């Protein structure tokens, strides 16, 4: 992807001096380790949360029915009839959720370092908040509600490698439906691509990606509509927290620094409008 013009107004949220320097790789690896450690805690609590998670799933489905937003069963059955599509969605759910997010992170780190730190912080906060939700509000996905007619598309179509298959079940939390990280992460990716990608088609893909991800999580019976709403709220809270922290920094740290002219260069660069905002 070609870098967008850094003087464009859509970059104004990330103009702090500290954001101009990429954080060290070891810092990023440490954050990943912390995230994995927290996830392990939620996974280890699965045996204690299973019964409550199943009861909550039935309650969520009932609440959605009352609100007339319980579209999961209809979408699940409709798209399951198109075998190539639903199998592709199974693989999409299991793999692209991680690969695309990592790809956007790497792109920001290498091509948009002035926004990377804040963007990564938002993603980290959203993920940690989700992990807290998994621990204190364990919720079974719709695919476990077979008595309501839901189809576990991974089991039915023998999709290999999904997080729902037995060979990886032991390393994943099967009751981590609320909030949906698939929605939080895909919305984050979509926002980053829309705001900072230079090519129009990439920005358009950023808009489509969360919508298609929502279709996938519902069609494969991995999440309720309520989980998607929870994921969106989680990301919103993370953006809000990051913005508040950024605004509370001393003004001197947030004011962009005008580069000094090179030695022997008689031309002094005057601040542009975007520099003085």
């Amino acid at each position: 992807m070609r870098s967008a013009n850094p003087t464009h107004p859509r970059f104004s949220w990330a103009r702090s001096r500290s954001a101009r320097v990429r954080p060290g790789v070891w810092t990023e690896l440490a954050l990943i380790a912390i995230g994995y450690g927290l996830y392990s805690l939620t996974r280890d609590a699965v045996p204690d949360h299973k019964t409550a998670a199943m009861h909550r799933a039935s309650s969520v489905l009932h609440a959605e029915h009352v609100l007339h937003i319980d579209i999961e069963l209809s979408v699940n059955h409709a798209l399951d009839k198109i075998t190539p599509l639903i199998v592709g969605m199974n693989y999409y759910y299991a793999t692209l959720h991680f690969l695309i997010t990592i790809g956007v992170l790497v792109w920001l780190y290498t091509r948009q370092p002035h926004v990377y730190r804040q963007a990564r912080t938002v993603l980290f906060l959203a993920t940690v908040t989700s992990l807290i939700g998994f621990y204190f509000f364990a919720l079974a996905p719709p695919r476990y509600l077979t008595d309501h007619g839901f189809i576990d598309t991974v089991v039915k179509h023998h999709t290999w490698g999904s997080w729902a298959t037995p060979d990886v079940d032991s390393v994943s939390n099967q009751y981590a439906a609320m909030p949906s990280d698939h929605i939080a992460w895909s919305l984050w990716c979509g926002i980053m691509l829309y705001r900072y990608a230079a090519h129009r088609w990439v920005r358009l893909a950023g808009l489509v990606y969360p919508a298609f991800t929502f279709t996938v999580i519902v069609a494969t019976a991995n999440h309720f509509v309520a989980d998607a709403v929870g994921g969106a709220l989680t990301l919103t809270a993370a953006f809000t927290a990051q913005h508040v922290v950024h605004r509370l920094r001393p003004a001197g740290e947030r004011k962009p620094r005008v580069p000094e002219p090179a030695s022997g260069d008689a031309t002094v660069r005057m601040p542009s409008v975007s520099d003085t905002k």
Side-chain angles (χ1 to χ4, degrees):
M1 298 180 201
R2 180 167 55 87
S3 300
N5 181 2
T7 63
H8 193 280
R10 65 177 181 265
F11 287 87
S12 60
W13 77 293
R15 283 307 222 175
S16 69
R17 180 178 178 181
S18 60
R20 293 169 180 259
V21 181
R22 293 187 185 95
V25 173
W26 288 109
T27 300
E28 303 308 293
L29 292 177
L31 289 175
I32 293 173
I34 292 171
Y36 181 77
L38 292 174
Y39 178 78
S40 297
L41 291 176
T42 69
R43 185 184 66 224
D44 293 341
V46 165
D48 297 330
H49 293 170
K50 181 176 180 179
T51 301
M54 293 298 296
H55 283 303
R56 288 183 185 127
S58 296
S59 298
V60 168
L61 186 61
H62 175 71
E64 287 191 353
H65 179 71
V66 172
L67 296 172
H68 303 289
I69 60 173
D70 55 328
I71 64 173
E72 297 90 346
L73 188 61
S74 298
V75 176
N76 177 231
H77 279 256
L79 296 188
D80 182 70
K81 296 176 182 178
I82 310 173
T83 301
L85 177 61
I86 200 65
V87 170
M89 285 184 168
N90 286 339
Y91 286 118
Y92 176 102
Y93 181 88
T95 59
L96 291 186
H97 167 55
F98 302 99
L99 297 179
I100 292 179
T101 304
I102 292 172
V104 173
L105 273 170
V106 172
W107 170 64
L108 290 174
Y109 188 84
T110 57
R111 303 299 297 274
Q112 309 288 352
H114 56 287
V115 301
Y116 173 80
R117 191 184 298 271
Q118 288 91 340
R120 177 262 286 148
T121 299
V122 168
L123 183 64
F124 181 77
L125 289 175
T127 303
V128 170
T129 303
S130 296
L131 294 176
I132 294 172
F134 299 160
Y135 189 85
F136 290 102
F137 193 81
L139 178 67
R143 57 187 166 81
Y144 281 168
L145 300 180
T146 54
D147 54 334
H148 287 80
F150 283 99
I151 301 170
D152 189 329
T153 58
V154 167
V155 173
K156 178 179 177 179
H157 299 283
H158 308 288
T159 305
W160 178 86
S162 169
W163 290 105
T165 52
D167 55 339
V168 294
D169 178 77
S170 61
V171 295
S172 63
N173 184 350
Q174 297 298 305
Y175 301 98
M178 172 65 81
S180 170
D181 265 346
H182 277 73
I183 293 300
W185 289 16
S186 64
L187 278 173
W188 178 86
C189 289
I191 291 170
M192 294 302 113
L193 292 175
Y194 182 77
R195 295 184 71 175
Y196 305 119
H199 296 291
R200 183 172 298 178
W201 71 268
V202 178
R203 299 179 67 194
L204 178 62
L207 294 177
V208 173
Y209 177 51
F212 186 68
T213 299
F214 173 75
T215 303
V216 168
I217 66 173
V218 173
T220 57
N222 278 294
H223 285 284
F224 295 100
V225 172
D227 302 335
V229 174
L233 291 176
T234 297
L235 184 67
T236 300
F239 268 112
T240 301
Q242 193 281 329
H243 177 74
V244 169
V245 171
H246 177 67
R247 297 299 299 176
L248 289 177
R249 288 177 181 173
E253 292 185 15
R254 291 189 280 108
K255 185 178 180 180
R257 179 171 56 87
V258 178
E260 301 255 347
S263 178
D265 188 353
T267 303
V268 178
R269 177 184 177 276
M270 298 299 293
S272 66
V273 173
S274 61
D275 287 330
T276 58
K277 286 185 177 179

